[in-house]
Amino acid sequence: MITIGLVIGLLLTLAVFNLQHVQETYEMVKELAQEKLGRSAEGMRKLDLSHVRIAAWYQYLTGGRVIGRSDEEAIEILKDLDVDLVRGWWRWKPLPFSPRDEEFESFFGKKRLSQLVLRGQTWQDYERVVRLFKEEMPDTIFLASFGVQFIPHARDRDPITGELITRDKAWEMAFDPRKHGFKMSKAEYQCIEAKKRYWIRKDIDCREVSEDFVKNHLSVYWGDPTNKDWQNLAFHIAQKLIDGGADAIWIDMYLKPSVSAIALHCIEEQGTIDNCDFSKALEDGRVKEIIDAQRELIDRIHEYGMKKGKYIFVGSWGVLGKIKTPQQGVLIKDLVPNYDFVVTTISRDEILNREMDVQRWENIVDEHRKIFGDIPIFVWFDSGYYHSPMHIFSQYLNKTEQAEFLEKVDKFFVNLSKRENLTIVFVYPVSGQMMGPWREGEEKILSFQCCCDTCRDRCLIPGDRPGECGFGSYDSLAPEFETYETMKKLAQEKKKLRGL
């Protein structure tokens, strides 16, 4: 029997998508934003994604606090690189409004609050650090991000209204195939998604589990984009990020519900995935409803930015190539929303072999142009799951190999961008990318392992051996990696190329 889990992994079907009307809308809205702001053409150019050449990933600009690095020092690191764009914040779970958020402490627990405060992950910290960043680097695009795949987190809080979302409320917002007329139960769907990510035991049969079991044992539910409460929560997260100063928003796994709907149609109506007629799937009213709801959220974010007098760039995953990752999905006609940019990842094989697959990237660019036109592509090491590209890069390459590979990768994309006349930029992994999870018994190479005598209580991941500890996030300045100087050298070379 084919399961939805296998189905989604196989759904990588690419077709032509005419984006002429999207580009026209994009240019019109950008012009309106320019007029409203009273900016000069040169001022608008500085905040144009197509002019980005140097980009960095710094998961949280406040994240260095756990290793004694101030927010100012983190910004200085980026200033030293002279980045055009930084991914500098990740709204992954509910955040307190301030370090003294008593309601958050009461609902989520004192331990959770203290951990977030220690790491500078409150909305107050976000607003402060972005303001400081803009003072120091006003012409750099600040990219904030959040994920819709895990909304809500079984319990959540709306960052605009402050509404506390209980497990019962969250379950109402979770995706239910039967609500949309499919045969699969809500419990089975949510169970399958959790099982694929090793969040429940392997021996559990998702076809047999009860709704009560799934509802009460999962810490994460997959949301339904047609649910009004879900729509408002997702939009309010984006709104909070924009209000705090974000210039761009990246949304993780944005098309996941649409992929699931297409997969369910293919199984139940056509009995096949390999030979599924996707044009028929897209004519299915159940599928259309979900796709339209996802497109509306992107439009709503753009419209909100305009009301604030600012064009907000919005993007998600683009063409991934022939690799298997949890982000695998479909990109087909009439599915893709009005993105301003997309992201893709270097593959695990490329990292292990320390060699870029030229044919793979030529295919990615070709398919990208068919689907998205000429919007920019940003490339980073994906992370957050077993044997992710970042895991392979940080754990299987020594520091010399990492530095050499970074240089090879960066030059590869500089050349590819020139050859294709398309903005394709490798995003430097400066700090904060998750290196885990690790499989049982797998050796851990952590950041700042030597700091454990002085900061054991702040370490994010303990080691396997007594006295061993460190941080589970990659940091290019950590003695275990020391790749920052390589990034700095590469950034300087790019500056020379653009005449800076």
Side-chain angles (χ1 to χ4, degrees), residues 431-450:
S431 183
Q433 282 182 277
M434 294 176 285
M435 297 186 288
W438 286 263
R439 296 193 183 278
E440 187 176 352
E442 187 178 6
E443 182 183 355
K444 296 185 180 78
I445 302 174
L446 307 175
S447 296
F448 297 104
Q449 292 181 185
C450 58

Side-chain angles (χ1 to χ4, degrees), residues 3-9 11 149-150 171 174-177 184-201 204 206-207 209 214 218-223 253 255-261 263-264 325-328:
T3 68
I4 190 74
L6 291 173
V7 166
I8 294 174
L11 277 172
Q149 72 272 44
F150 303 142
W171 186 248
F175 186 80
D176 180 0
M184 183 178 287
S185 72
K186 184 177 190 176
E188 182 179 358
Y189 175 84
Q190 298 290 335
C191 173
I192 287 171
E193 293 301 333
K195 193 173 183 180
K196 287 193 297 183
R197 290 155 185 82
Y198 307 99
W199 293 336
I200 58 175
R201 298 196 320 267
I204 291 177
C206 290
R207 293 169 296 181
V209 293
V214 175
L218 295 188
S219 60
V220 168
Y221 304 147
W222 291 74
M253 293 187 73
L255 294 178
K256 176 69 176 63
S258 296
V259 172
S260 296
L264 287 164
T325 71
Q327 284 75 21
Q328 204 72 289

Side-chain angles (χ1 to χ4, degrees), residues 134-147:
K134 286 297 182 180
E135 288 172 0
E136 295 294 320
M137 305 181 70
D139 296 328
T140 297
I141 295 169
F142 188 91
L143 170 66
S145 53
F146 72 98

Side-chain angles (χ1 to χ4, degrees), residues 158-178:
D158 190 305
I160 296 296
T161 67
E163 177 191 1
L164 295 171
I165 299 170
T166 64
R167 184 175 286 270
D168 287 341
K169 177 74 171 180
W171 186 248
E172 291 175 8
M173 297 159 68
F175 186 80
D176 180 0
R178 288 182 180 172

Side-chain angles (χ1 to χ4, degrees), residues 203-311:
D203 61 324
I204 291 177
D205 186 344
C206 290
R207 293 169 296 181
E208 303 296 329
V209 293
S210 68
E211 183 165 310
D212 282 343
F213 174 85
V214 175
K215 175 183 175 182
N216 294 312
H217 285 79
L218 295 188
S219 60
V220 168
Y221 304 147
W222 291 74
D224 182 347
T226 69
N227 179 284
K228 293 299 182 184
D229 291 328
W230 182 95
Q231 289 174 3
N232 287 330
L233 176 59
F235 172 68
H236 285 166
I237 293 170
Q239 181 182 339
K240 189 70 172 179
L241 294 169
I242 294 167
D243 289 347
D247 303 301
I249 302 288
W250 182 75
I251 307 176
D252 194 16
M253 293 187 73
Y254 187 69
L255 294 178
K256 176 69 176 63
S258 296
V259 172
S260 296
I262 291 169
L264 287 164
H265 167 93
C266 290
I267 293 173
E268 297 182 8
E269 302 301 327
Q270 300 186 40
T272 179
I273 288 300
D274 292 333
N275 299 309
C276 184
D277 184 341
F278 291 106
S279 63
K280 289 184 179 179
L282 291 169
E283 292 171 0
D284 189 322
R286 300 167 299 181
V287 175
K288 279 183 178 180
E289 180 187 22
I290 294 169
I291 291 173
D292 288 345
Q294 295 212 271
R295 185 178 291 108
E296 286 172 9
L297 177 59
I298 298 290
D299 293 340
R300 194 175 174 188
I301 293 171
H302 278 135
E303 289 168 6
Y304 182 74
M306 284 296 299
K307 289 178 182 177
K308 300 278 288 187
K310 182 177 183 179
Y311 189 87

